[in-house]
Amino acid sequence: MALCCSLCLLLLSCQALALRGGMLYPRESASRELKELNGIWSFRADFSEQRDQGFVQQWYRKPLRQSGPVIDMPVPASFNELTQNPNLRKYTGWVWYEKEVLLPRSWLPNALNTRVVLRVGSAHYYSIVWVNGVQVTEHEGGHLPFEADISRIVQGGSRAACRITIALNNTLTPQTLPPGSIQFMRDESKYPRGYFVQNTRFDFFNYAGIHRPVVLYTTPSVYIDDITVTTAWAGNIGVVRYQVLVTGSTRYSLSLNLREKEGKVVAMGEGPIGELKVVEPRLWWPYLMHENPGYLYYLEVKLLAQVGGELSEDVYTLPIGIRTVHVTSSQFLINGKPFYFHGVNKHEDADIRGKGLDWSLIVKDLNLLQWLGANSFRTSHYPYAEEIMDLCDAYGIVVIDECPGVGMRDPENFGNASLAHHLVVMEELIRRDKNRPSVVMWSVANEPASELSPAAYYFKTVIAHTKAIDPTRPVTFVSNANYAHDHGAPYVDVICVNSYFSWYHDAGHLEVIQLQLNTQFESWYETYQKPIIQSEYGADSIAGLHNDPPLMFSEEYQKAVLKEYHSVFDKKRKDYVIGELIWNFADFMTDQATSRVLGNKKGIFTRQRQPKAAAFVLRDRYWKLANESSCLRPTLTYYNL
């Protein structure tokens, strides 16, 4: 109990603060420099009984190696599967990372007009950060970036050394997102004294570590802090509305140039708020919906300000796409044309590295999506890396952007503390991804216990808050509740429903799929009159396991399940079904269980990205759907002006 109290109290005492400022992705420019800190860091897990030795002994005050034995740990990566220590693989509690770096001399003496910022792309789950022994920030949440201005700590001295210490806790509580609980095993005839386990209600492994890049970057002391862009078009005119937030001074000037892909300026503007008009705009289209998908313009923002009697300049360039999104009672429209989601659900998951960002894996996955003919995916069940989202913008892959609201199965997950944190997470997600043309919808949760009565107020509040921050995109959550008892569905714009007919129930009975799926669609649509996405469906298959007639876990059974679902999709997509997302793109790791064989095997690709038979079934289908959509039927034209 003492350990549980220690972990929970420390997390509760570190509640996330209200958001301030922007979270622009760090990009080099004429005024900004960047230093990547990826590579080998020093690492130590705190195996003390209370997991608090690092704080008691203040490991952050001196080099970590002086506190005791450290090991090498790559960043970005999950720490769980990089050693031969089974206790580290399933470790719950505080771990410590440290990196000593030398700063460029040009960053140090010019403190008056140079700001030095430390940015962490993602660390799971709760982080406290020190620089040279001084705490600079803390952050709750495992899938979104956070940063700290460290200028006053690293500037003004004669030394260019910078020691960065990050304490990281992967403990999940009923109020975290995703939630979890610590269970102590009291029977000392079965378990060692103080033995505990981390319980979760989601079906993927709780990988931990610094999962995305850590960087240092500079800006001038008066700088472009945030940019918000919305777009529209009518006839042959495209409109880019912008708002720029400047920090550090109220006396400045702003000029903006909108450039096409080849660098030609197509529109110009001035001031922090305004709109740019583009003649004959090239719209951002999804992959396979247009011969030139994913077209991006580049908004160059230039700031001039007087600092200490001298003229200071800051420059930031933001990629943008001109496109509109609208939902009717039976259609999802992109640029006024019906869009049908035919894609996948994914995980950030791979051998050895866990959820750590890996460029080779990202490029492979994008190539496989294009090979499949997939035009979309959902970030199940947490925000994905910004580097992945950049490629979706550029390739025209449509994204349903989901927060980490997964595993919310208990009444205590719907209390005020959970709600307050959920609202902050949505703010952070929207702040990060609001300008992305690939993001067409926000998802606030996956398979919550939305049949519980507190879910009505909870999701009404979360969805209203999301819409207030970003009124330009529809909002959904993914349900597996009974349509008649789902208290959150009245507030969504699109119904997203998961079902696994002939798998988790009626196991092995392929003959019931079409009847049950038809009933599902008709019940949801008659009740809510909203378009529907089949947001998950599928079956496990072990690569190389064959059986005819099809039996569960064989590749033939997975194919058969897909074909039964597809037969119904083809009928209902003529009416109000607007998408189908297979579960899952690739096999992924889970906690150990009698129903899991080294993870979840519902992938159409293996964890090593090799195709199963189902991948070819989907490829044939998706390319057929893409060919059909190339000649879109006339529909209403919607201009978000």
Side-chain angles (χ1 to χ4, degrees):
M1 179 61 72
L3 173 61
C4 184
C5 291
S6 173
L7 294 174
C8 292
L9 285 174
L10 187 50
L11 287 174
L12 289 173
S13 69
C14 302
Q15 290 293 318
L17 301 176
L19 297 181
R20 298 175 183 175
M23 189 58 67
L24 294 173
Y25 187 76
R27 303 181 192 278
E28 288 190 302
S29 71
S31 60
R32 298 179 176 222
E33 295 182 77
L34 183 70
K35 182 179 180 67
E36 293 189 356
L37 305 184
N38 299 337
I40 298 298
W41 289 49
S42 296
F43 176 90
R44 185 179 181 188
D46 187 345
F47 281 104
S48 64
E49 184 176 356
Q50 303 299 323
R51 302 292 198 260
D52 63 350
Q53 184 179 357
F55 293 96
V56 172
Q57 297 180 357
Q58 300 181 331
W59 289 355
Y60 52 87
R61 289 195 173 276
K62 54 188 178 182
L64 189 60
R65 63 183 176 274
Q66 295 181 17
S67 71
V70 297
I71 62 173
D72 290 340
M73 186 61 64
V75 171
S78 301
F79 63 72
N80 307 81
E81 297 182 348
L82 295 176
T83 75
Q84 299 307 106
N85 183 354
N87 293 322
L88 190 59
R89 184 183 188 275
K90 59 186 179 182
Y91 178 85
T92 301
W94 289 99
V95 298
W96 293 72
Y97 285 81
E98 185 184 82
K99 183 80 167 180
E100 297 186 38
V101 299
L102 294 176
L103 302 184
R105 292 189 181 276
S106 60
W107 293 14
L108 300 178
N110 195 20
L112 180 64
N113 195 34
T114 300
R115 201 173 144 261
V116 182
V117 181
L118 171 65
R119 189 182 199 268
V120 180
S122 167
H124 187 76
Y125 174 79
Y126 197 97
S127 304
I128 304 176
V129 184
W130 297 263
V131 173
N132 294 341
V134 178
Q135 184 175 331
V136 295
T137 192
E138 54 192 78
H139 182 260
E140 180 179 0
H143 310 279
L144 291 164
F146 56 96
E147 61 183 29
D149 184 336
I150 63 171
S151 306
R152 76 178 171 84
I153 298 172
V154 300
Q155 292 174 335
S158 58
R159 296 182 65 234
C162 177
R163 179 170 53 84
I164 299 166
T165 308
I166 302 178
L168 189 61
N169 194 325
N170 64 340
T171 305
L172 300 178
T173 75
Q175 287 75 45
T176 58
L177 212 63
S181 62
I182 297 294
Q183 180 182 4
F184 279 85
M185 305 304 186
R186 305 298 183 188
D187 187 345
E188 294 189 10
S189 68
K190 295 182 179 179
Y191 305 99
R193 184 174 179 272
Y195 189 86
F196 70 95
V197 294
Q198 168 79 78
N199 290 325
T200 60
R201 301 289 293 275
F202 52 80
D203 189 33
F204 55 92
F205 191 76
N206 186 34
Y207 281 113
I210 301 177
H211 284 153
R212 296 173 190 161
V214 181
V215 301
L216 290 166
Y217 72 93
T218 65
T219 74
S221 59
V222 181
Y223 60 97
I224 300 162
D225 188 36
D226 196 21
I227 305 170
T228 302
V229 167
T230 59
T231 65
W233 61 275
N236 69 334
I237 301 296
V239 178
V240 177
R241 296 192 183 93
Y242 64 85
Q243 182 172 353
V244 181
L245 176 64
V246 173
T247 298
S249 176
T250 58
R251 301 181 64 183
Y252 60 84
S253 65
L254 284 169
S255 60
L256 298 91
N257 289 326
L258 186 66
R259 299 180 183 273
E260 63 176 11
K261 191 167 289 188
E262 301 304 319
K264 178 183 176 182
V265 176
V266 296
M268 302 172 66
E270 295 182 350
I273 300 176
E275 67 177 33
L276 308 176
K277 293 186 177 180
V278 183
V279 179
E280 301 293 346
R282 303 181 73 170
L283 301 182
W284 188 94
W285 288 100
Y287 176 55
L288 299 178
M289 199 172 176
H290 190 272
E291 61 183 6
N292 188 16
Y295 189 86
L296 296 175
Y297 289 89
Y298 296 89
L299 182 63
E300 181 187 73
V301 183
K302 182 177 292 187
L303 164 71
L304 293 176
Q306 287 287 336
V307 178
E310 298 182 358
L311 194 63
S312 173
E313 178 183 82
D314 190 23
V315 180
Y316 189 88
T317 300
L318 178 73
I320 66 169
I322 299 176
R323 64 107 181 94
T324 58
V325 172
H326 183 58
V327 175
T328 73
S329 63
S330 60
Q331 291 181 319
F332 195 99
L333 306 176
I334 296 181
N335 297 332
K337 302 289 186 180
F339 177 75
Y340 186 78
F341 295 79
H342 49 87
V344 303
N345 295 276
K346 295 179 87 277
H347 266 297
E348 290 182 309
D349 174 276
D351 291 327
I352 301 175
R353 64 191 63 78
K355 291 192 180 303
L357 181 136
D358 184 295
W359 273 110
S360 298
L361 190 70
I362 291 171
V363 171
K364 179 64 174 180
D365 283 1
L366 265 293
N367 275 280
L368 287 175
L369 288 174
Q370 290 184 312
W371 175 84
L372 270 178
N375 62 13
S376 54
F377 66 79
R378 173 169 63 115
T379 68
S380 48
H381 301 297
Y382 39 80
Y384 289 177
E386 292 159 284
E387 293 78 3
I388 296 174
M389 306 296 282
D390 282 344
L391 290 182
C392 291
D393 288 338
Y395 287 26
I397 301 297
V398 169
V399 177
I400 300 173
D401 209 351
E402 189 162 272
C403 84
V406 57
M408 302 174 63
R409 304 301 305 171
D410 299 317
E412 57 187 331
N413 304 146
F414 295 90
N416 289 337
S418 297
L419 177 58
H421 178 51
H422 205 143
L423 299 181
V424 171
V425 170
M426 291 310 302
E427 291 175 11
E428 291 186 344
L429 174 58
I430 294 170
R431 180 175 65 176
R432 192 195 78 165
D433 289 345
K434 62 188 175 183
N435 297 317
R436 296 189 177 280
S438 61
V439 175
V440 300
M441 186 158 53
W442 307 111
S443 172
V444 301
N446 175 77
E447 295 187 358
S450 50
E451 70 280 1
L452 298 177
S453 56
Y457 174 77
Y458 191 97
F459 285 111
K460 180 180 180 180
T461 304
V462 173
I463 291 171
H465 186 69
T466 302
K467 286 177 171 290
I469 302 170
D470 177 19
T472 70
R473 291 177 176 88
V475 181
T476 189
F477 74 88
V478 176
S479 178
N480 66 344
N482 183 285
Y483 75 95
H485 303 125
D486 192 313
H487 295 299
Y491 307 108
V492 303
D493 298 301
V494 174
I495 300 291
C496 287
V497 59
N498 295 347
S499 59
Y500 290 91
F501 303 126
S502 83
W503 190 258
Y504 290 124
H505 54 84
D506 298 301
H509 291 278
L510 295 166
E511 66 276 7
V512 306
I513 292 177
Q514 292 194 32
L515 174 61
Q516 294 183 2
L517 187 56
N518 264 299
T519 300
Q520 167 196 281
F521 285 145
E522 291 169 4
S523 298
W524 278 98
Y525 193 73
E526 288 175 8
T527 303
Y528 295 105
Q529 298 292 301
K530 297 175 181 179
I532 301 172
I533 296 175
Q534 182 72 42
S535 41
E536 289 183 24
Y537 72 103
D540 286 76
S541 69
I542 308 299
L545 181 63
H546 298 283
N547 206 90
D548 188 34
L551 296 181
M552 293 178 70
F553 291 98
S554 69
E555 293 195 49
E556 287 74 18
Y557 192 87
Q558 187 181 41
K559 287 173 54 180
V561 168
L562 267 57
K563 289 180 178 180
E564 293 294 321
Y565 269 84
H566 296 165
S567 178
V568 180
F569 294 161
D570 284 338
K571 298 173 184 176
K572 297 301 183 182
R573 66 187 174 90
K574 299 173 183 177
D575 300 321
Y576 49 77
V577 170
I578 61 168
E580 55 191 76
L581 304 176
I582 188 69
W583 188 269
N584 191 283
F585 173 74
D587 295 344
F588 56 92
M589 187 54 66
T590 65
D591 281 338
Q592 297 184 75
T594 54
S595 60
R596 296 287 175 248
V597 184
L598 289 180
N600 189 304
K601 293 293 191 287
K602 290 189 180 67
I604 59 170
F605 296 98
T606 66
R607 202 180 189 208
Q608 295 73 36
R609 275 50 177 183
Q610 295 305 309
K612 303 177 189 176
F616 297 95
V617 172
L618 273 184
R619 184 173 191 263
D620 289 344
R621 175 171 179 78
Y622 285 176
W623 280 100
K624 179 182 177 183
L625 291 171
N627 289 333
E628 290 177 7
S629 68
S630 63
C631 298
L632 295 167
R633 63 185 185 277
T635 186
L636 71 93
T637 302
Y638 177 81
Y639 303 123
N640 188 22
L641 292 173

